Amino acid sequence: MRRWETLAGTVQGVNKRRNQDWHECRGTGSAADPLVLAVADGHGSAVHARSELGARFAVDRFVSLAAHFGRVAHDCHEPGRLARLMTYARDDFPRALVHEWRQAALGHWDRNRPVVEEAAREPGPEEKLVLYGTTLIGAVLTPWLFVAWQLGDGDLAVVEHDGTLIRPLAPAVEDLGDETESLCGREAWRSMRMHWAPVFEEARAPRLVVLSTDGLSKSFASADGYPEFVTGLSARLTEEGTTNVRDSLPTWLTQASHYSGDDTTLTAAVRVGEGAGDPVDPDPGDPGEAPVGPGEALVDPGEASVPASAAAPAGDSASVGARTPPPGPVGNGVDMERNTET
């Protein structure tokens, strides 16, 4: 039985030579076929000349490892099993993922060496890996477990079963400019953040899970723009259904890319048989004319767009949704119901 519907899309940034993003949605969310979502954003500069390949390697390796993890987690409610799974997800999974990605990148280098003079020095492994630098956000959903990981920028937004919007992996301090953590870092696994959320009752599973590269969040004129977008997306899924929203998604991403100038990618999963969120705008208008541009609240089609150049500084205190912590204690204690590890 399919437990989730998915939607995904990507748009190349304005004046970009190629799209450096990569994404994947795979699975149904059952015990035997976990749902895996992933987005990666290759850095794209000359120093990271092969980053579009690095992004693809990151997504491919994550999907394989996360699907296996999800299948192994079918018996997570056995005594002691949940704690062991969380330890693996927090400590061992990031190491395995970084190792797999490094092997893929170095293997590609060996098969595609640039033509250089014989006397030229052979780059070291770390220098080679820089060429493939990328960020990554990934999630796996099973009937009993929701786990997500993030390295670098981008956004994970979750609409909970009660309609609450959280961004559990948002950093306490935003990265400055284009600086971000990367899979090509020397000890990249140490920088990977994890969100752990067992599902003890199916009715308490998230309504909506959204993963996106920073080309989307950077397109809004204020820090509130991205949470409003996700809230509006949730409302439209409730009112119009997945098919209509999926058809409108390319237009929204194109508008976002126009404002941010960056590649823009989104993957999302909405729980089957549940509304993705409570309606926000009592008069959403004609669904065929619904798409709105970045800088506007998605839930208010009549509002004029605002250029992204007027955006508030990163970390502005107006961003309430961006800093809402997940329920449960934070610190050294283990919360088996919900825990975000950094």
Side-chain angles (χ1 to χ4, degrees):
M1 182 180 66
R2 177 168 288 278
R3 297 171 180 270
W4 300 86
E5 292 288 344
T6 59
L7 55 153
T10 186
V11 173
Q12 183 173 314
V14 178
N15 298 324
K16 292 291 187 74
R17 294 179 56 189
R18 62 177 65 90
N19 191 337
Q20 303 286 337
D21 290 355
W22 197 259
H23 70 281
E24 182 70 82
C25 301
R26 186 180 302 176
T28 62
S30 67
D33 187 27
L35 173 60
V36 181
L37 309 173
V39 297
D41 181 1
H43 301 327
S45 66
V47 176
H48 308 286
R50 300 183 181 184
S51 62
E52 76 277 6
L53 294 171
R56 182 167 185 167
F57 297 154
V59 169
D60 290 349
R61 271 53 185 181
F62 177 85
V63 168
S64 176
L65 289 171
H68 176 72
F69 173 82
R71 290 190 294 269
V72 169
H74 69 89
D75 58 353
C76 65
H77 291 312
E78 292 182 2
R81 179 69 168 168
L82 197 59
R84 290 193 297 272
L85 283 169
M86 189 180 77
T87 299
Y88 175 84
R90 182 190 61 202
D91 301 331
D92 299 324
F93 186 93
R95 285 179 176 270
L97 176 61
V98 172
H99 173 76
E100 291 285 330
W101 179 83
R102 289 172 64 98
Q103 292 300 108
L106 292 175
H108 182 270
W109 167 273
D110 289 339
R111 296 187 302 272
N112 299 271
R113 291 172 176 270
V115 177
V116 296
E117 297 180 3
E118 292 186 6
R121 181 183 64 87
E122 172 79 5
E126 304 302 328
E127 294 174 275
K128 298 173 185 177
L129 291 170
V130 167
L131 291 170
Y132 299 87
T134 182
T135 66
L136 176 69
I137 309 174
V140 58
L141 298 111
T142 78
W144 308 282
L145 193 60
F146 165 41
V147 190
W149 295 263
Q150 180 170 353
L151 179 66
D153 55 27
D155 297 274
L156 169 73
V158 181
V159 177
E160 297 280 42
H161 69 281
D162 59 358
T164 303
L165 172 66
I166 64 171
R167 297 173 67 188
L169 296 180
V173 179
E174 297 286 351
D175 293 323
L176 297 176
D178 292 328
E179 294 182 3
T180 187
E181 299 289 350
S182 173
L183 273 169
C184 68
R186 287 183 177 273
E187 295 184 321
W189 63 87
R190 295 185 184 276
S191 300
M192 193 167 290
R193 308 187 293 277
M194 183 194 75
H195 177 57
W196 175 266
V199 180
F200 294 104
E201 300 176 23
E202 187 171 5
R204 298 178 67 85
R207 293 182 178 181
L208 176 66
V209 178
V210 179
L211 286 65
S212 58
T213 58
D214 67 335
L216 180 56
S217 57
K218 289 193 306 186
S219 69
F220 296 100
S222 73
D224 292 329
Y226 181 77
E228 289 175 359
F229 175 91
V230 176
T231 300
L233 178 64
S234 178
R236 287 184 183 274
L237 285 164
T238 297
E239 297 159 0
E240 302 171 18
T242 308
T243 300
N244 285 345
V245 172
R246 187 181 289 118
D247 291 343
S248 298
L249 183 62
T251 300
W252 296 337
L253 296 181
T254 298
Q255 291 173 332
S257 178
H258 174 76
Y259 278 87
S260 69
D262 200 1
D263 304 326
T264 303
T265 301
L266 177 147
T267 65
V270 57
R271 187 149 52 98
V272 171
E274 293 283 344
D278 297 323
V280 178
D281 187 343
D283 182 16
D286 182 0
E289 301 176 357
V292 299
E296 303 173 53
L298 181 64
V299 297
D300 186 1
E303 184 180 346
S305 62
V306 182
S309 60
D316 192 292
S317 60
S319 177
V320 178
R323 297 293 175 265
T324 302
V330 177
N332 295 326
V334 174
D335 176 14
M336 286 303 175
E337 295 189 2
R338 185 146 322 201
N339 195 30
T340 298
E341 295 282 347
T342 302

